[in-house]
Amino acid sequence: MRKFEKRQVGVLALQGDYERHQHQLGLLRVKNRLVRLPADLTEIDSLIIPGGESTTMDILLDRFHLREPLTEFGRSHPVYGTCAGMIMVATSIRDNQAGVKPLGLIDIEVVRMGYGRQVHSFEEILPVSLGNGTSSLTATFIRAPRIARTGPDVTVLASYKDHPVLVRRDNVLAGSFHTELDDDTTLLRYFIQEFS
Ligand code: GLN
């Protein structure tokens, strides 16, 4: 793994709020690259899968021939999935009427829209344990997925009302909520520094 300043972080840019992640990477002065083609994956050290719409992302992953290479990448590199991105890195989706095919990178089961629809969006100050003591994050839940089950090798980093909302397994980080909507880069910095 290259030093912090040398790393190139990819942001999956098929759909969703990838520009906000790119903006935050810019605040941290971390090199970054939008990922749209399999070849882009060879240029990056880690990948963020943003929020957006998992049904659309699912279709575009196949259209852009990214499903296999991205799954392969996620087996050996850091990946951070947020909101729709968390749905994509999960192992299973409960009541999956839309037929989204998750990539299976972290052993969690998720419920899409588990915190309600767009009108039920909310912001919450959440305590999180990110290794160096507990800090807090402003977490925004927008049509957010709920984590219904975590596998034995999954660590819970933050919970909301007794349900895990930020989890980790080895090189994979997944969160129900957004933190990229404002300029608080705490979680992004944690991902870049601690995941290797
Ligand atoms: N509910 C959306 C989905 O299922 C995710 C919402 C989000 O990413 N903000 O894809």
Side-chain angles (χ1 to χ4, degrees):
M1 178 64 74
R2 286 179 277 198
K3 278 174 50 189
F4 190 89
E5 323 77 61
K6 293 275 171 60
R7 284 180 208 165
Q8 172 126 279
V9 179
V11 186
L12 187 66
L14 300 178
Q15 187 270 338
D17 79 333
Y18 52 86
E19 282 176 345
R20 285 302 310 169
H21 290 282
Q22 213 181 16
H23 168 75
Q24 282 207 337
L25 287 162
L27 294 178
L28 293 178
R29 300 189 189 288
V30 173
K31 285 202 294 172
N32 57 81
R33 180 191 184 96
L34 296 180
V35 171
R36 294 197 172 101
L37 300 169
D40 295 326
L41 292 168
T42 62
E43 305 292 327
I44 57 172
D45 298 289
S46 59
L47 178 71
I48 296 169
I49 306 183
E53 180 49 51
S54 56
T55 51
T56 310
M57 262 182 224
D58 187 61
I59 293 167
L60 294 176
L61 274 180
D62 289 324
R63 192 164 300 163
F64 285 74
H65 306 290
L66 272 166
R67 187 177 298 276
E68 285 306 314
L70 209 147
T71 309
E72 204 49 50
F73 180 90
R75 291 201 180 112
S76 51
H77 297 81
V79 175
Y80 169 30
T82 172
C83 210
M86 178 173 89
I87 298 170
M88 296 316 299
V89 296
T91 39
S92 63
I93 300 171
R94 190 171 285 182
D95 302 329
N96 188 10
Q97 288 98 343
V100 173
K101 301 175 290 304
L103 301 171
L105 297 176
I106 179 169
D107 186 13
I108 55 174
E109 180 173 57
V110 298
V111 180
R112 294 184 57 225
M113 312 284 195
Y115 291 96
R117 309 194 76 78
Q118 187 83 20
V119 290
H120 304 119
S121 300
F122 61 98
E123 202 173 86
E124 194 68 31
I125 310 284
L126 286 182
V128 286
S129 23
L130 301 181
N132 49 353
T134 297
S135 51
S136 65
L137 291 176
T138 304
T140 309
F141 292 75
I142 306 170
R143 294 158 62 235
R146 186 165 57 78
I147 300 174
R149 182 189 62 75
T150 54
D153 53 358
V154 171
T155 306
V156 177
L157 304 177
S159 296
Y160 172 66
K161 293 191 174 170
D162 294 331
H163 276 287
V165 288
L166 183 68
V167 291
R168 160 178 204 173
R169 187 192 62 82
D170 297 337
N171 58 314
V172 180
L173 177 69
S176 293
F177 51 84
H178 297 265
T179 58
E180 74 285 1
L181 302 176
D182 60 25
D183 286 348
D184 182 354
T185 53
T186 309
L187 196 52
L188 180 60
R189 177 178 281 280
Y190 168 73
F191 172 64
I192 296 167
Q193 274 175 338
E194 301 296 325
F195 284 58
S196 55

